[in-house]
Amino acid sequence: GSVIFQNLMAAVSVAIFSEIMARVFKTPSTVFLIVGILPMVPGGGIYYTMEYCIQGNMPMFLEKLVSTLGVAGAIAVGVSLVSSVVRIMTANKFGN
């Protein structure tokens, strides 16, 4: 699979875990989510994107830019997807 899809699945997994742990420990899910998402942030991709930009290597810059934005977007979509599903399920459960 692609790196973007792998990060999407990892973000979904971390988000599900954080929602479950939030219910178990009665804390906000953000506490667990931040710790789980932090290692997935594409810091190296951001660094190399800027390095290629400064060097003037436009083909590599664009390649790294698309890859880095894809990974960051996949993480955001994965977390948002799980959060939305949990909110919908909770609203339906309590009739709000």
Side-chain angles (χ1 to χ4, degrees):
S2 71
V3 173
I4 295 172
F5 183 72
Q6 291 171 357
N7 278 284
L8 175 67
M9 291 297 106
V12 167
S13 301
V14 168
I16 290 170
F17 175 78
S18 67
E19 291 291 340
I20 293 169
M21 291 295 109
R23 302 306 183 271
V24 170
F25 291 107
K26 294 179 174 56
T27 60
S29 63
T30 310
V31 172
F32 302 101
L33 191 61
I34 297 291
V35 174
I37 293 295
L38 195 60
M40 291 193 297
V41 174
I46 295 168
Y47 172 82
Y48 289 115
T49 300
M50 289 298 105
E51 181 181 24
Y52 292 135
C53 179
I54 291 170
Q55 290 176 351
N57 189 348
M58 284 302 134
M60 287 302 294
F61 164 71
L62 292 174
E63 180 181 331
K64 276 292 183 188
L65 178 66
V66 169
S67 174
T68 302
L69 290 177
V71 168
I75 293 169
V77 167
V79 170
S80 298
L81 181 69
V82 172
S83 177
S84 298
V85 168
V86 168
R87 285 180 189 233
I88 290 169
M89 289 172 53
T90 305
N92 286 339
K93 181 179 178 181
F94 294 113
N96 293 338

